[in-house]
Amino acid sequence: MRVNRSILPSGRIGLAVSGGADSVALAFLLTKGGKKKNAAQRFVVLHVDHGLREESKEEYRFVRNLAKRLGIPFKGIHAHVCRNRGESLEMAARRVRLDFFSDCVRKLGLEAIATGHHMDDVAETFLMRIRRASGPEGLAGIKETSSVGPVRFVRPLLGCRDRELKDYLRKYGEEWREDASNGDISIERNKVRHKVVPYLEKVLDPKLVEHIFKISVLLNAASKS
Amino acid sequence: MRVNRSILPSGRIGLAVSGGADSVALAFLLTKGGKKKNAAQRFVVLHVDHGLREESKEEYRFVRNLAKRLGIPFKGIHAHVCRNRGESLEMAARRVRLDFFSDCVRKLGLEAIATGHHMDDVAETFLMRIRRASGPEGLAGIKETSSVGPVRFVRPLLGCRDRELKDYLRKYGEEWREDASNGDISIERNKVRHKVVPYLEKVLDPKLVEHIFKISVLLNAASKS
């Protein structure tokens, strides 16, 4: 499994952990299951309870407990998401999350926030952006590093398949929380994940996700130069 | 229908006509169904009988007759395709065709050779190149202009859908020849055309082909700069 530690800054890093398999794997991999020396100084788990689903309070406790077991600090909020004029609920939740991350960067002196985005996310984003006829940069989609205002994001798991991360967690007997909406194919990303990608893997290219990831790396390199 | 005449050089142009709908439409559109002034000075129909299918002799006569009806010169060959070491039959046929085009450019003083490639070809090529994890230039695929050795190719129909070209020919009561192998989905392009594109148009994006074409234009612009 290709975890790219070279993009992690040397200072303090927030780990954005929702409780899903990808972000739980992120916390496990970076702290070596709690065995990494000085992990408590280097990392802090960040979690937002958006209060939009019944299970969200339990997920909050699950992530807080995970941080405790890994021996690293936990910083979470129970947010109250209110839509501004013209915002979708998803956009509002994203704004609340970004505000919280911004706060954490400032108050905790974080150099970056790491997220659990993986190779399947890259491929799904690529396929969804065809709809918007994005140019090279839009198609490349998810980058290993990016900034939103004062928040620097790093994504060390882009070289890993979703499946690999879950296998890794199972191997160590670790649990995660499944977002119930993941199965709802009226949501575009879920349709791409559960229908389009499996179809294309069967009919067009068994290594579709790996190939789109490689294209994404090439597109990112080209748009930089 | 967006025919891009701006890429046509002012001198003499060869029209690569196989007898399929796209190249027959090319000859019709550029000669205005034979009504264009000085078409006989400006254009010459080029055709290669590769001698690989039973119908190829009849197709040769069909294309020669088409040129006659359009009032423009015809230059064709009955080729004998022999594979060189390591060549597939398709590669050998392509080499023979390119040699013929090269000859025509030199002997007939052609400034360019126009082909009937259209928007569906661009989208199919894009999807097939995902398999090869092509970078920006490879993904963009078919360009409006390109050169192979001394032969300059121009592709004025990239802005047209396959369907539009066929509708245009039907409207004027014009025929074309259907390559029997077009239905063979063991050939990758045919699988992409008959299975992958219709599936993605249904599930992912009804305007898939137009969107991939737009992406291709953006990728080409980016790889130029």
Side-chain angles (χ1 to χ4, degrees):
Chain A
M1 202 154 44
R2 208 190 67 92
V3 179
N4 188 1
R5 290 184 172 79
S6 76
I7 56 169
L8 301 176
S10 55
R12 206 169 186 207
I13 299 169
L15 309 180
V17 179
S18 67
D22 40 7
S23 59
V24 171
L26 174 78
F28 254 78
L29 282 160
L30 294 190
T31 62
K32 299 184 176 167
K35 288 180 203 144
K36 190 181 161 62
K37 264 193 186 172
N38 304 322
Q41 283 74 54
R42 185 89 191 282
F43 300 114
V44 49
V45 165
L46 309 178
H47 178 80
V48 179
D49 164 14
H50 297 91
L52 298 171
R53 288 176 294 113
E54 220 179 304
E55 320 82 78
S56 71
K57 284 209 171 53
E58 195 279 323
E59 287 167 6
Y60 183 96
R61 289 191 296 270
F62 169 75
V63 175
R64 191 179 53 190
N65 188 44
L66 173 71
K68 199 174 165 187
R69 286 198 298 119
L70 295 175
I72 53 177
F74 171 83
K75 176 94 185 150
I77 49 162
H78 296 286
H80 183 64
V81 176
C82 284
R83 290 197 288 167
N84 289 339
R85 222 187 155 80
E87 267 186 345
S88 68
L89 195 58
E90 205 187 355
M91 285 157 71
R94 186 169 177 274
R95 172 176 48 75
V96 164
R97 210 159 51 236
L98 267 174
D99 284 350
F100 172 64
F101 289 158
S102 263
D103 268 6
C104 291
V105 163
R106 208 176 52 243
K107 291 181 187 161
L108 305 174
L110 304 179
E111 278 196 36
I113 290 178
T115 72
H117 288 99
H118 48 64
M119 204 188 279
D120 294 69
D121 292 321
V122 175
E124 288 155 18
T125 301
F126 180 94
L127 291 168
M128 288 192 298
R129 297 236 171 129
I130 288 179
R131 261 192 101 124
R132 291 194 242 146
S134 297
E137 207 170 344
L139 273 186
I142 303 173
K143 292 181 170 58
E144 282 200 311
T145 62
S146 67
S147 293
V148 181
V151 185
R152 178 160 184 77
F153 287 101
V154 292
R155 302 180 184 88
L157 304 189
L158 291 190
C160 307
R161 292 294 308 263
D162 176 45
R163 182 178 359 98
E164 287 179 296
L165 297 173
K166 285 179 175 147
D167 287 347
Y168 167 82
L169 291 177
R170 282 193 200 97
K171 188 175 148 194
Y172 288 94
E174 286 299 328
E175 288 178 9
W176 63 86
R177 292 297 178 261
E178 207 72 67
D179 183 335
S181 72
N182 279 350
D184 177 1
I185 66 157
S186 73
I187 296 173
E188 197 193 4
R189 181 173 293 275
N190 293 333
K191 192 169 69 177
V192 170
R193 178 173 304 167
H194 298 301
K195 294 192 75 176
V196 176
V197 169
Y199 175 85
L200 291 176
E201 283 182 331
K202 201 177 71 185
V203 173
L204 183 69
D205 181 4
K207 293 188 84 63
L208 180 87
V209 173
E210 286 81 356
H211 285 152
I212 292 182
F213 174 66
K214 205 172 148 195
I215 289 168
S216 156
V217 171
L218 292 168
L219 289 173
N220 274 326
S223 74
K224 249 184 238 167
S225 65
Chain B
M1 203 153 45
R2 208 191 66 93
V3 179
N4 188 1
R5 290 184 172 79
S6 76
I7 56 169
L8 302 176
S10 56
R12 207 170 184 205
I13 299 169
L15 308 179
V17 179
S18 67
D22 40 7
S23 59
V24 171
L26 174 78
F28 254 79
L29 282 160
L30 294 189
T31 62
K32 298 183 176 168
K35 288 181 202 142
K36 189 180 161 62
K37 263 193 187 173
N38 304 321
Q41 283 75 54
R42 184 88 191 282
F43 300 113
V44 50
V45 165
L46 308 178
H47 178 79
V48 179
D49 164 14
H50 297 91
L52 298 171
R53 288 176 293 113
E54 219 180 304
E55 320 83 78
S56 71
K57 284 208 170 55
E58 195 279 323
E59 286 167 7
Y60 184 97
R61 289 190 296 271
F62 169 75
V63 174
R64 190 178 54 189
N65 188 43
L66 173 71
K68 199 174 166 189
R69 287 198 298 119
L70 295 175
I72 52 177
F74 171 83
K75 176 94 185 149
I77 48 162
H78 296 285
H80 183 63
V81 176
C82 284
R83 290 196 288 167
N84 289 340
R85 222 186 154 79
E87 267 186 345
S88 67
L89 195 59
E90 204 187 356
M91 284 158 71
R94 186 169 177 273
R95 172 176 48 75
V96 164
R97 210 158 52 235
L98 266 174
D99 284 350
F100 172 64
F101 289 159
S102 264
D103 268 6
C104 291
V105 163
R106 208 176 52 243
K107 290 181 186 160
L108 305 173
L110 304 180
E111 278 195 36
I113 290 178
T115 72
H117 288 99
H118 48 63
M119 204 187 280
D120 294 70
D121 292 321
V122 175
E124 288 155 18
T125 301
F126 180 94
L127 291 168
M128 288 192 298
R129 298 235 172 130
I130 287 179
R131 261 190 100 123
R132 291 194 242 146
S134 297
E137 207 169 344
L139 272 186
I142 303 172
K143 292 181 170 57
E144 281 200 312
T145 62
S146 67
S147 292
V148 181
V151 185
R152 178 160 184 77
F153 287 101
V154 292
R155 303 180 183 88
L157 304 189
L158 291 190
C160 307
R161 292 293 309 262
D162 175 46
R163 181 176 3 98
E164 287 179 296
L165 297 173
K166 285 179 174 147
D167 287 347
Y168 167 83
L169 291 177
R170 282 193 200 98
K171 188 176 149 193
Y172 288 94
E174 287 299 328
E175 288 177 9
W176 64 87
R177 291 296 177 261
E178 208 72 66
D179 183 336
S181 72
N182 279 350
D184 177 1
I185 67 158
S186 74
I187 296 173
E188 197 193 5
R189 181 173 293 276
N190 293 334
K191 192 169 69 177
V192 170
R193 178 174 304 168
H194 298 302
K195 294 192 75 177
V196 176
V197 169
Y199 175 86
L200 291 176
E201 284 181 331
K202 201 177 71 186
V203 172
L204 184 69
D205 181 4
K207 293 188 84 64
L208 180 87
V209 173
E210 285 81 357
H211 285 153
I212 293 182
F213 174 66
K214 205 172 147 194
I215 289 168
S216 156
V217 171
L218 291 168
L219 289 173
N220 274 326
S223 73
K224 248 184 237 167
S225 65

